[in-house]
Amino acid sequence: AEVGQRLDNTPRNSLTLWSSWQLTPALSLGGGAQYVDERAVYANNQLPVSVESYWLLNAAAQYQLNTSTRLRLNVYNVTDEEYIFELASGQSIPGAARSASVTAEFSF
């Protein structure tokens, strides 16, 4: 049953795009999209179990406070898309909901 099939949980197509813009010498904004095609698992010589394709949108902002300190805000899954991140034999793992992180970067 597995001969000629794609590897489990492997999409035929995927795409990631990201772009960022330097608005001022201190401020930059970025955004991107990620596409993952339909995926399937062929478990125990049974019929395949598949999940739908999905798109995720992400965003970022970065601010240079001074020559040695930079702040960054990342927002993941901006549209709060519900999707299956990983598909395995007998289980599926949902993707992360909308989330954000703030980081500070110091150089010396």
Side-chain angles (χ1 to χ4, degrees):
E2 294 181 9
V3 174
Q5 302 297 333
R6 287 193 305 255
L7 294 173
D8 282 355
N9 199 41
T10 304
R12 182 175 300 279
N13 302 295
S14 62
L15 170 73
T16 301
L17 298 171
W18 185 266
S19 187
S20 58
W21 302 270
Q22 192 72 41
L23 299 179
T24 69
L27 179 64
S28 64
L29 297 177
Q34 177 185 12
Y35 172 76
V36 177
D37 208 353
E38 179 181 301
R39 294 157 294 138
V41 170
Y42 300 86
N44 303 324
N45 295 326
Q46 297 174 2
L47 293 175
V49 176
S50 64
V51 293
E52 297 177 356
S53 61
Y54 63 88
W55 282 93
L56 296 179
L57 300 176
N58 302 305
Q62 182 170 281
Y63 188 76
Q64 188 79 38
L65 287 173
N66 54 47
T67 58
S68 62
T69 307
R70 182 181 340 188
L71 297 176
R72 182 178 305 128
L73 168 67
N74 289 83
V75 181
Y76 308 99
N77 192 5
V78 171
T79 59
D80 204 21
E81 179 75 18
E82 291 183 1
Y83 63 101
I84 300 297
F85 174 72
E86 188 173 341
L87 184 63
S89 177
Q91 65 181 4
S92 58
I93 300 171
R98 181 185 308 121
S99 62
S101 67
V102 176
T103 57
E105 187 177 305
F106 304 98
S107 59
F108 49 94

